[in-house]
Amino acid sequence: MWSGRFREPLDTQFEAWQRSFPFDWRLLPQEIAASSAHARVIAAAGILTPAEADRMIAGLEAVGKLALSESEFHNPNSSSAASIAQAEDIHHFVELELTREIGDLALKLHTGRSRNEQIATDMRLYVRDSIDIILAGLGKWALALIGLAEQAGDAVMPSYTHLQRAEPVLVAHWLLTYVSMIERDISRLQDCRKRMNLCPLGSGAIAGATLALDRTIAAQSLAFDGPTSNSMDATSDRDFALEFTQVLSILGLHISRFAEELTLFSTAEFGFLDLPEAFSTGSSAMPQKKNPDLTELIRGKSGRLIGAATSLSVLIKGLPLAYNKDLQEGQEPVFDASSTVQGVLAVLPAFTSSLRFRFDRMASAASSGYLNAMAAATYLSNKGVPFRKAHEQIGNAVRFGLESGRELEALTLEELKQFGDQFAEDFYTAITVEATLDCHDVVGGTARRRVHAALADGRSRILAEIDQQTVKSAKLE
Ligand code: ARG
């Protein structure tokens, strides 16, 4: 591919070691698409006749049908074994295979282009494809959460601050928290997609193509919004990969919080849910165990995603312009982050839909431990008691209750009146679980009518954001 100026052959160990083909074979579909677009560009520039361009594109399509995979790579009987053994990278592989397909005409494909712009283009296409698949997977997970929240109806649970019981909330309200996180992840992915959707083809090795190519042809045929604006930037920029992995690491953090809460809630100590057997494992030593492997693994995967984003940052820091071979090291973190998230999203929606909560346990946890104290203070402040005073009076009532082992609703009116004279009979209806929920009657609050509305709004926003066709056809790795 480039041996003309060399007198000596490469050291064989070095030659094998510097190849990227052992991992960039994943870029075959993107490389075929980008090469076909380039064939159209050079045909328009008169380098290929229309008939030659057709033959070349048909040849590329044939090469694109090869089933590259980890196992094919090690298969000595593969029909492409000779090219696999020789190829330095995916670009080299496609040229070798194209030559087998269409003969010497293949040698014209590299006119006016460089591998530096090719890899930049392939990686953008790969990230763009990954974003589309991940968006569909996120949509599925959000709908699974909304479905679960709808099933929960008006079931209540305690909410926690400092991991201490705080106030009762609807189970649906808690689940919708994760839908809000997903919506931000969706918007970050869409944003990243928009920003990266420019085509590097025509940037050459560093200074721009050496032929007067019409770059809009390639941009259009690859569904980019236009060509990139600076050839040095286009061949050295990996912001799209950085952003993509950073967005995925944030998404991983969200998923890990969900995983951690479920792990915790499934313990005997909480007892808020029975782990679905289809997604749990037993212990080879302790016969009674049912372990939350799915949520634990997900928690672990988020570390891996942060690792990918960190690798890319460290790789790019201080890298001089423009292309440097270091950039080859930036591929694997992107591949790994993309398939890690796809793997998680392939199991998470079904796991989520199969969750069955123990609403009785949740409700009893929500109705003891003075979780209605804030509603009680609000009752007094609605009667004109300044909130600081109301807080203190209810605090005193709680202390009194603690001493005699009773909740606020179990204290008599007479007992309550020693802490303030505004307590009246209607106090008891103001501190039921329902009243405690419904006093949070603000947008985003846990009042029942607000949560019902939030569920409907959440569902319609997700349906509007995620194309349902893609959700159905998305093939998560
Ligand atoms: N395999 C290379 C990479 O992934 C392709 C670009 C090679 N360019 C070069 N000038 N050696 O970065």
Side-chain angles (χ1 to χ4, degrees):
M1 185 169 48
W2 40 253
S3 56
R5 62 94 69 210
F6 281 74
R7 279 185 291 253
E8 279 184 43
L10 285 191
D11 175 273
T12 47
Q13 286 263 294
F14 167 66
E15 194 280 325
W17 174 80
Q18 57 87 44
R19 290 180 185 201
S20 52
F21 193 48
F23 47 86
D24 71 12
W25 57 264
R26 286 176 182 77
L27 297 172
L28 180 68
Q30 291 79 12
E31 175 68 12
I32 296 297
S35 291
S36 305
H38 181 68
R40 287 195 186 95
V41 173
I42 55 174
I47 304 290
L48 300 176
T49 65
E52 284 176 328
D54 288 347
R55 254 181 74 208
M56 193 172 275
I57 289 166
L60 284 165
E61 270 164 19
V63 175
K65 294 212 171 77
L66 294 173
L68 284 182
S69 66
E70 207 80 66
S71 56
E72 189 65 3
F73 204 80
H74 301 289
N75 172 12
N77 301 320
S78 161
S79 62
S80 312
S83 306
I84 290 175
Q86 205 191 333
E88 180 176 315
D89 54 25
I90 185 65
H91 323 296
H92 190 195
F93 174 80
V94 168
E95 269 189 55
L96 292 169
E97 286 292 304
L98 186 63
T99 308
R100 282 181 60 199
E101 255 333 296
I102 62 169
D104 278 356
L105 174 61
L107 304 178
K108 284 194 176 177
L109 178 60
H110 211 55
T111 315
R113 74 171 183 178
S114 152
R115 282 185 298 154
N116 298 352
E117 60 183 314
Q118 281 174 264
I119 189 61
T121 306
D122 291 359
M123 287 303 287
R124 281 188 193 230
L125 291 173
Y126 182 89
V127 166
R128 199 176 70 182
D129 293 344
S130 297
I131 289 177
D132 291 343
I133 297 170
I134 292 170
L135 280 173
L138 278 176
K140 252 190 195 166
W141 185 37
L143 292 178
L145 283 162
I146 291 172
L148 193 64
E150 280 166 351
Q151 277 171 32
D154 285 345
V156 288
M157 67 184 289
S159 62
Y160 299 83
T161 62
H162 312 271
L163 206 52
Q164 305 286 329
R165 285 184 196 165
E167 291 188 273
V169 290
L170 284 186
V171 173
H173 192 59
W174 163 64
L175 289 169
L176 281 176
T177 313
Y178 289 99
V179 176
S180 295
M181 297 184 211
I182 294 174
E183 288 193 70
R184 290 194 295 276
D185 294 326
I186 288 174
S187 122
R188 267 186 284 268
L189 283 168
Q190 288 168 337
D191 193 36
C192 166
R193 191 190 197 286
K194 222 177 285 157
R195 194 168 15 258
M196 55 142 278
N197 202 30
L198 296 171
C199 185
L201 288 184
S203 299
I206 177 164
T210 47
L211 292 169
L213 302 178
D214 180 352
R215 294 187 59 201
T216 59
I217 297 174
Q220 262 169 23
S221 81
L222 294 170
F224 282 113
D225 296 331
T228 49
S229 60
N230 180 293
S231 62
M232 292 179 76
D233 178 53
T235 49
S236 65
D237 166 43
R238 293 294 182 275
D239 286 5
F240 60 92
L242 258 180
E243 267 190 71
F244 175 62
T245 51
Q246 285 173 357
V247 168
L248 294 192
S249 78
I250 297 177
L251 161 62
L253 297 179
H254 295 155
I255 294 178
S256 81
R257 294 181 85 172
F258 180 70
E260 172 58 14
E261 289 210 301
L262 290 178
T263 308
L264 197 62
F265 290 169
S266 72
T267 57
E269 284 70 13
F270 276 84
F272 286 180
L273 67 128
D274 286 323
L275 287 171
E277 290 195 4
F279 295 97
S280 309
T281 57
S283 156
S284 56
M286 295 167 279
Q288 85 285 9
K289 293 269 273 179
K290 185 166 66 167
N291 291 329
D293 290 36
L294 185 142
T295 51
E296 291 172 296
L297 251 185
I298 283 180
R299 217 169 43 190
K301 299 278 183 198
S302 78
R304 185 168 171 154
L305 294 170
I306 296 167
T310 308
S311 297
L312 277 169
S313 299
V314 179
L315 180 72
I316 290 162
K317 180 188 176 298
L319 202 63
L321 298 179
Y323 176 82
N324 297 271
K325 183 96 165 187
D326 313 40
L327 290 174
Q328 184 169 290
E329 282 293 300
Q331 293 184 25
E332 286 164 289
V334 172
F335 298 151
D336 190 62
S338 175
S339 45
T340 297
V341 168
Q342 290 186 44
V344 167
L345 291 174
V347 294
L348 202 49
F351 169 78
T352 301
S353 299
S354 74
L355 289 174
R356 293 294 169 264
F357 294 109
R358 298 189 53 190
F359 293 128
D360 54 331
R361 299 259 323 185
M362 292 172 126
S364 82
S367 49
S368 60
Y370 309 95
L371 305 202
N372 51 2
M374 194 137 140
T378 306
Y379 164 84
L380 290 179
S381 97
N382 286 342
K383 299 236 159 178
V385 181
F387 188 78
R388 279 285 155 249
K389 277 224 155 76
H391 186 284
E392 194 190 334
Q393 289 175 14
I394 298 297
N396 290 334
V398 166
R399 184 165 37 76
F400 181 80
L402 279 169
E403 279 158 11
S404 55
R406 286 176 299 159
E407 294 288 328
L408 289 177
E409 56 274 23
L411 303 182
T412 65
L413 202 50
E414 219 164 71
E415 286 169 325
L416 289 166
K417 277 192 184 289
Q418 48 176 323
F419 306 113
D421 43 19
Q422 293 301 325
F423 286 101
E425 202 51 62
D426 59 352
F427 175 69
Y428 298 100
T429 49
I431 60 165
T432 61
V433 172
E434 290 74 21
T436 307
L437 291 167
D438 288 342
C439 73
H440 299 88
D441 191 12
V442 289
V443 173
T446 198
R448 289 171 294 181
R449 71 180 192 103
R450 296 291 183 172
V451 176
H452 297 155
L455 267 173
D457 288 353
R459 181 185 283 282
S460 58
R461 276 200 309 274
I462 295 288
L463 291 175
E465 269 161 22
I466 306 286
D467 172 40
Q468 290 312 299
Q469 254 340 89
T470 350
V471 172
K472 279 197 201 97
S473 59
K475 276 213 305 288
L476 294 158
E477 258 179 35

